[in-house]
Amino acid sequence: MAALLFVVGSFLVAMLASAQATFSGPCNTYEAEKLNEGYRPCSYPDSADLRTVGIGFNLEKSGARQRIAGVGANYDEVKAGSQCLSDAQIQTLFWQDMDSSVSCVSSWLPNWSSLTDGSKSAVADMAFNLGCAGVKKFKKMKAALTQSPSNYAQTAAQMESSRWCSQVGARCKRDVNCMTT
């Protein structure tokens, strides 16, 4: 019986993981974020010494306990490192977070629907990495993006000259490339 429940539970988690963000482009796909954030099924301390799991999922953020329980895992065991997450569980958490990131930037940028797929995915990746409040600090980048027509070269220049870019290195280069193509 327990084996049957595990199989059914795993199937449901896999179905949830197949739901994709409202927008996915070259810089904010599951595979791109695995490259950007790293991929660890067991918890670890991130660069800020916060317990993290999967693809940059912060176990110490508000609501993390419920989100981990929502994918069928034990929060305390995951945080302690005694339970690791499956790929399906990690994908579910990832797409939920990416949906939030896309929702943030699509409401922040009034011309979201007219932007290129590359620029949308670059800004969504920045929101995924920095959080909604963090990406909203890029006021000059927003000004360049919301010009009519959008000034992608100026937006990329704003990204490249930021402290964020010097901190994330290759991720910034990939996002700049998405912004300008």
Side-chain angles (χ1 to χ4, degrees), residues 44-66:
Y44 63 96
D46 71 3
S47 60
D49 205 32
L50 298 171
R51 296 307 297 176
T52 306
V53 70
I55 301 178
F57 184 83
N58 179 350
L59 288 164
E60 298 179 26
K61 70 181 175 181
S62 175
R65 178 177 293 277
Q66 293 80 8

Side-chain angles (χ1 to χ4, degrees), residues 40-43 53 73 77-78 81-87 89-90:
R40 295 202 187 167
C42 301
S43 73
V53 70
E77 290 179 13
V78 170
S82 59
Q83 180 183 5
C84 299
L85 298 179
S86 70
D87 188 62
Q89 290 168 316
I90 291 168

